[in-house]
Amino acid sequence: MITDTQSLRQLVDELKAEPFVTVDTEFMREKTYWPKLCLVQLAGAQRAAAVDPLADGIDLAPLGELLADPSVLKVFHAARQDVEIFLLLFGNVPRPMFDTQVAAMVCGFGESVGYETLVNKLAKASIDKSSRFTDWSRRPLTPKQIAYALADVTHLRTVYLKLAKLLEDSGREEWLDEEMATLNAPETYESRPEAAWERIRTRSLDRRFLGLVRELAAWRERQAQSRNVPRTFISKDETLLEMASSQPRSAEDLKRVRGLPKWATEGAGGDEVLTAIERALAENRNALPDREPPRELPRGLGPLIELLKVLLKMKSEEHGVARTLIASQEDLETLALDGSAAQIAALKGWRHEVFGEDALRLLAGEVALGARGRSIAVLSLSGDEAVLQATRRKRRKRKSRKDGEPAGADDAATASDAVAAD
């Protein structure tokens, strides 16, 4: 345990000589808006230590220097919350950075793979998780807590080295770089009150109503930040939606709102809520927020999307990379609707090579999916068959225009014909 600034400085000086350092944190957030940092674990090749940020008089500035040192790679697992803490503490995202969870997805270990799973598979070790939900703010920490905390960075060394080798052998380092771009961007961790409304679920598409939700959600977010309490301690989403619907205009109206704390119904607190409502009601309609209505897919497009799902699953297994890293459900729907004009990541970079190219060929009727033994394969259509598919597409388009069928139905039929033809 490191509990004073001098010992921390000595540790950091040692770790600065390492090519990489594994990093983890223990924090609490159940009763606060901002995470309360309780422990920082660090490990180099020969030494591991836990830094106590709650120790009297300790200055964490040396830790900030280490995290900002461009010559030392900082290795995390599921880094987002750890990075948020360091950004708040030091004003910068740790650089350079490697996330083993993201790397594992690129290497085919599945969706959002857990640390324990990687330790089992790559380090051939197991972790005692019994201390996971202990109170990390209480002092002194027990030897069992410290052992658990250090295991999160000591085994991470092996996990990192194995994943780095897999990435190098498969030539996928650039794939990881693309995925790490989001984690490296400071704006990823911004908590803007003006954008808080986007997390609230509502079926309403009325822009005035959404404007009220935006103002009220921003009010709640600012209150939660300034009081350092979870936003639900201020009010639940249902309460905000109720106020957006009923539009209270006085303190008496606010007192009738269920779930609103007393301080928000009277005095300065109540005035803030009423001002937010008045501001939303006075907003120019062109400045009000807007939400796209739920996408209604044309009749007949469903089978085509299912065909793309089969191709995606096949490519995921073939290349050993998580499906959601290649394309989402929304991506597949957009691809089925817009074809090569679709503005999705699956048609760019390595994703295009792995999946997008064959997906476009499938949509164009140039290839089919068929069984080959116990697996699915992409089967090229002959020249005559391709001409036949094109003729069928033209015939269906003429029939669709004549019968008034929705666009897309002919594409789904074409895909079915392609499989049948093969």
Side-chain angles (χ1 to χ4, degrees):
M1 283 284 288
I2 301 295
T3 58
D4 63 88
T5 306
Q6 183 178 351
S7 298
L8 176 58
R9 168 58 66 189
Q10 182 180 349
L11 172 67
V12 166
D13 288 345
E14 291 180 23
L15 294 179
K16 279 185 175 181
E18 302 277 1
F20 73 90
V21 173
T22 55
V23 188
D24 190 38
T25 66
E26 303 300 338
F27 61 91
M28 299 183 68
R29 203 173 193 169
E30 290 84 356
K31 297 180 181 180
T32 61
Y33 182 93
W34 307 107
K36 180 181 181 180
L37 181 61
C38 299
L39 202 66
V40 180
Q41 304 96 278
L42 304 166
Q46 303 299 325
R47 185 179 178 189
V51 180
D52 186 0
L54 303 182
D56 289 340
I58 192 168
D59 182 356
L60 296 180
L63 173 62
E65 294 174 17
L66 176 65
L67 295 176
D69 191 329
S71 67
V72 182
L73 179 68
K74 272 65 71 173
V75 178
F76 296 84
H77 180 82
R80 185 177 291 261
Q81 293 191 82
D82 299 321
V83 173
E84 179 189 5
I85 290 172
F86 292 134
L87 179 61
L88 291 169
L89 196 58
F90 301 115
N92 293 297
V93 172
R95 295 180 186 276
M97 186 163 51
F98 185 104
D99 190 323
T100 55
Q101 186 177 70
V102 178
M105 293 174 70
V106 172
C107 292
F109 284 86
E111 319 291 338
S112 301
V113 60
Y115 178 63
E116 187 176 10
T117 299
L118 289 180
V119 169
N120 290 340
K121 290 185 176 181
L122 296 177
K124 307 302 180 184
S126 59
I127 297 176
D128 179 4
K129 306 294 285 187
S130 60
S131 297
R132 183 179 181 184
F133 295 108
T134 57
D135 185 347
W136 291 99
S137 66
R138 293 190 63 180
R139 294 295 183 272
L141 295 175
T142 67
K144 187 174 182 180
Q145 283 179 299
I146 297 172
Y148 163 82
L150 290 179
D152 279 349
V153 287
T154 52
H155 294 308
L156 190 56
R157 294 179 295 203
T158 304
V159 170
Y160 160 69
L161 291 170
K162 293 287 183 69
L163 287 174
K165 184 67 165 58
L166 287 172
L167 288 169
E168 181 182 3
D169 291 345
S170 61
R172 295 183 180 180
E173 293 100 329
E174 291 185 4
W175 295 19
L176 180 64
D177 291 342
E178 285 187 36
E179 301 312 308
M180 289 297 298
T182 299
L183 287 175
N184 284 320
E187 54 268 25
T188 298
Y189 310 94
E190 289 181 358
S191 183
R192 297 185 301 111
E194 297 77 14
W197 74 280
E198 296 172 359
R199 291 190 295 264
I200 299 177
R201 295 183 179 181
T202 174
R203 295 180 180 179
S204 176
L205 299 176
D206 181 83
R207 297 185 66 188
R208 184 65 63 188
F209 177 84
L210 294 177
L212 285 156
V213 174
R214 180 175 64 183
E215 288 292 338
L216 290 167
W219 162 80
R220 179 179 67 175
E221 202 74 8
R222 293 189 188 97
Q223 289 292 329
Q225 290 177 353
S226 64
R227 296 167 183 266
N228 194 24
V229 296
R231 60 180 64 92
T232 54
F233 281 29
I234 305 298
S235 69
K236 295 183 179 180
D237 289 355
E238 293 80 1
T239 301
L240 297 187
L241 292 173
E242 167 59 26
M243 286 195 289
S245 178
S246 62
Q247 301 176 16
R249 308 302 291 273
S250 68
E252 286 302 314
D253 292 339
L254 287 178
K255 290 176 181 178
R256 296 188 183 95
V257 177
R258 183 177 179 181
L260 202 61
K262 184 178 181 181
W263 59 263
T265 65
E266 56 190 23
D271 289 342
E272 283 190 26
V273 179
L274 294 174
T275 299
I277 293 171
E278 290 173 6
R279 188 164 49 243
L281 292 175
E283 187 85 64
N284 185 291
R285 188 161 189 83
N286 293 331
L288 291 171
D290 198 7
R291 271 183 176 168
E292 292 291 329
R295 176 183 289 174
E296 292 187 10
L297 298 176
R299 181 171 59 85
L301 201 66
L304 184 59
I305 295 170
E306 293 301 317
L307 203 58
L308 288 170
K309 282 184 182 179
V310 173
L311 177 66
L312 177 60
K313 186 172 184 179
M314 185 195 86
K315 292 294 184 177
S316 169
E317 294 182 1
E318 177 184 335
H319 292 275
V321 60
R323 272 178 287 175
T324 56
L325 211 57
I326 303 173
S328 65
Q329 172 69 21
E330 185 177 354
D331 288 339
L332 297 183
E333 294 174 2
T334 301
L335 183 58
L337 280 168
D338 301 336
S340 60
Q343 298 298 310
I344 57 174
L347 296 184
K348 301 174 184 177
W350 65 267
R351 292 176 178 82
H352 179 265
E353 180 183 341
V354 168
F355 168 74
E357 183 177 0
D358 278 337
L360 291 177
R361 294 175 66 203
L362 182 64
L363 293 176
E366 297 172 2
V367 297
L369 298 181
R372 180 172 287 169
R374 294 184 177 181
S375 62
I376 298 294
V378 176
L379 308 172
S380 296
L381 297 175
S382 68
D384 291 342
E385 288 169 331
V387 171
L388 176 61
Q389 301 308 320
T391 302
R392 286 175 174 171
R393 284 199 299 273
K394 291 179 181 178
R395 191 176 299 158
R396 286 193 175 86
K397 286 179 180 177
R398 286 196 297 270
K399 186 176 185 298
S400 296
R401 287 194 293 269
K402 181 179 178 181
D403 298 343
E405 290 183 4
D410 59 305
D411 295 327
T414 299
S416 300
D417 288 341
V419 176
D422 182 78

